[in-house]
Structure formats: structure tokens, C-alpha cells
Amino acid sequence: KIRHLVDPPPPHLAGRIAFHRLNIKNDSRLEGLIKMADLTINLAAICTPADYNTRPLDTIYSNFIDALPVVKYCSENSKRLIHFSTCEVYGKTIGSFLPKDHPLRKEAEFYVLTEDESPCIFGPIVKQRWSYACAKQLIERLVFAEGAENGLEFTIVRPFNWIGPRMDFIPGVDGPSEGVPRVLACFSNNLLRREPLKLVDGGESQRTFVYIKDAIEAVLLMIENPARANGHIFNVGNPDNEVTVRELAEMMTEVYAKVSGEPPLEEPVIDVSAKEFYGEGYDDSDKRIPDMTLINKQLGWNPKTPLKDLLETTLT
């Protein structure tokens, strides 16, 4: 996804990018590169839901064990770190444990997720889908502890479903023919192949989606304002762009018909079980609404792009 920036770089980036391909878990060059930099932004991870319960060891290692040297070298060399975590560290909402018709489900305190207040609730150990969230939460705790005990300057980012062009892969087109990408690419793949969109367990889970360009603006503010960003964990999402996965499928079907000129399928969606789609051990969070108070207060950032507009841009 970055080949167009480095092989060769476009004229406006020539001389501004030095690209090093290395494995962070066993390459001796890592510490030297961190020493040379003013800031390290760690985005390395396995972060595709289909992998969490089929490759739990790889998931845990990539998101915790393999990230340890990055945190260690930043701390030992007094280098600032922006570490990318995930909204999955919140797990399930308190509201998900209430009866479906319980009036408290409508109270924001039972489902809006706040960085320094909301509990992190995961499923049982046999549901290996939570291997990702647990590994990400533990590395967050390590980063925070390095800040408290050793003075590491850090910012932790919790992305809430960043989507847009170049996200993920279309199987067999710009990625492996095997494997299951994330929901936007899954649905895009179905639309391109004129296949029904598969809704896991009826597509009842609720998600918020934020446009990648909006999210990058937030990260730039973190980079440019260390005094206001250091020591904080920031939700980066768009609470106004909340839909069920079923509603997302319906919206993408409508938008794709508009931009492609092709008529929608007679049967645009089908229901599948989580076990059939993801395999044994899958579990899911019910709802993820980010509280945006902290990032707005510290950095003055708010997302701007409505969901239908960003889907149209992405699918065009």
C-alpha cells in the first residue's frame, strides 16, 4: 500500500523519505533507527479480526511481544513515542450485559467509551477473538508504566474503524487470494464480484466509522503539539457515523450502484454464523461509541466527513 511512495518516490517526496524494510522483532537496525529519529510512530500489528482466533499466537506476539523493543528503545533513548492501539481494548460495553429492553441501555454511561474511565470487558479465555484486545491493552499498560516510572514521552491512539481508499486488501486483486479482510474490504470484494454481502450473526453489531483523512489530521495534531498530547490516550473516531453492520451493507450496496452504474443484486445480503465465517472461538463487541471530549479539549480536533460521503469517495 505504500509502494507508490517509495519505489521510486514521487518528485515532491524525493530526498524526504528513507525506506528501511525490517522485522521489528529481530533486526539489529531497529535501535539505531529509533536513535536517529525525533519521534517513533508504531503501527506494526496483526489487526484483522479473521486472524484473532485462527492465529492467536501470532496475534499476541505481534501486538505485545514484538512491540516491546520499540517501547524499550524509545524509553532508554528518551525518544517520543506515538503508539497505535485499538478501540477493541474496551471490549464489550456495560450495556451489553443488560436485558435488551432495559431502559438503562439508552443511558450514555453504559455504552459511550471514555479513555480514562470506561472499563475494559473481554469475553472468556476460550473465545480467542479477544487475544488481540488483551495484547493491545497490555502493551498500553506497559507504555503507560514506562511513562510513569522512566519518563517516556508517549501518546496512545485508539482508532475507531478508520476507513477509506487503500484500506486492507481485495482477495486475489491487491492481496492474497486466501484470507478474510476487514468489513469494508469484505463488502467491497462482494460488490465487485456481484456476490451477496455476508452478515455475521445478522449484522447486528454497531460500529462507528471515521474517514482516514480526518483521522490523519488528528495524528498530525498529536505530532505537532507534544505538550498537549504527551501522556494522553486519545479516542480517534466519529460518533456521528454509527451504523449496524447490516446498515453499512445496505448503504454500501446503494453507494456502489450509484458509482458503478450496475443494478443492485436481487438478494444483496445473506446471514452467516460467526463460527462459519470466522471459525471456532469468535466473539464480538456489541457497540463502540467514542467519547471525543478529551481529544477535542487537548487538540481541538473533531471529525468532519459523513459516512455516506466517505463511502462514496472510497468506492469510486
Side-chain angles (χ1 to χ4, degrees), residues 11-306:
H12 71 288
L13 293 179
R16 298 177 60 197
I17 290 180
F19 182 68
H20 304 265
R21 185 182 183 92
L22 57 93
N23 190 322
I24 63 169
K25 64 184 176 182
N26 58 16
D27 198 303
S28 60
R29 293 174 292 171
L30 179 64
E31 184 174 15
L33 291 171
I34 288 175
K35 281 182 177 181
M36 288 168 54
D38 298 313
L39 165 70
T40 297
I41 303 175
N42 186 19
L43 291 146
I46 288 177
C47 51
T48 305
D51 291 325
Y52 302 162
N53 57 302
T54 57
R55 300 171 58 202
L57 286 176
D58 287 341
T59 298
I60 292 166
Y61 269 76
S62 78
N63 288 292
F64 179 66
I65 303 294
D66 297 346
L68 291 177
V70 177
V71 181
K72 176 175 178 282
Y73 295 146
C74 285
S75 183
E76 290 178 349
N77 293 286
S78 300
K79 297 296 183 176
R80 186 175 170 222
L81 171 65
I82 295 180
H83 182 81
F84 271 68
S85 183
T86 172
C87 60
E88 293 223 2
V89 297
Y90 292 110
K92 302 184 179 188
T93 67
I94 300 174
S96 70
F97 294 91
L98 297 170
K100 285 195 173 182
D101 57 351
H102 199 290
L104 286 180
R105 273 182 173 259
K106 298 179 180 178
E107 298 292 328
E109 64 184 293
F110 289 90
Y111 62 85
V112 174
L113 304 170
T114 304
E115 294 94 334
D116 299 330
E117 297 176 12
S118 295
C120 300
I121 307 170
F122 303 139
I125 299 300
V126 295
K127 299 294 186 181
Q128 294 199 91
R129 184 252 198 279
W130 299 108
S131 59
Y132 174 68
C134 287
K136 281 292 197 183
Q137 188 195 116
L138 188 54
I139 197 70
E140 278 197 27
R141 293 186 182 277
L142 182 95
V143 170
F144 195 90
E146 282 285 357
E149 292 190 28
N150 296 322
L152 172 67
E153 292 187 356
F154 72 87
T155 303
I156 292 171
V157 184
R158 289 179 180 165
F160 279 71
N161 301 293
W162 297 9
I163 63 175
R166 298 186 182 277
M167 178 187 170
D168 224 333
F169 67 96
I170 303 297
V173 177
D174 59 351
S177 56
E178 300 296 322
V180 180
R182 284 163 287 191
V183 64
L184 184 84
C186 268
F187 287 171
S188 298
N189 183 44
N190 295 141
L191 290 166
L192 288 168
R193 299 177 192 275
R194 295 194 60 75
E195 300 169 349
L197 280 60
K198 294 179 179 180
L199 301 179
V200 175
D201 292 339
E204 293 183 358
S205 295
Q206 294 168 275
R207 296 289 184 268
T208 59
F209 296 91
V210 64
Y211 189 35
I212 184 65
K213 290 184 75 172
D214 291 350
I216 287 172
E217 286 180 7
V219 177
L220 287 172
L221 288 169
M222 297 175 205
I223 293 170
E224 294 164 357
N225 298 279
R228 299 206 297 271
N230 284 346
H232 288 293
I233 302 169
F234 290 123
N235 291 337
V236 181
N238 189 337
D240 294 331
N241 283 348
E242 187 197 18
V243 288
T244 65
V245 175
R246 179 177 290 274
E247 289 169 338
L248 176 68
E250 292 168 350
M251 192 178 290
M252 287 183 66
T253 299
E254 176 189 332
V255 170
Y256 183 74
K258 176 183 174 182
V259 301
S260 70
E262 298 178 4
L265 295 175
E266 289 185 13
E267 187 184 15
V269 298
I270 56 173
D271 290 349
V272 297
S273 70
K275 182 177 179 180
E276 178 186 350
F277 192 81
Y278 286 119
E280 195 72 47
Y282 191 77
D283 197 12
D284 207 354
S285 54
D286 54 314
K287 188 178 176 80
R288 296 185 197 146
I289 303 291
D291 184 328
M292 305 307 296
T293 305
L294 182 62
I295 195 167
N296 181 259
K297 175 186 172 185
Q298 292 298 119
L299 300 174
W301 181 81
N302 278 306
K304 299 185 285 288
T305 311

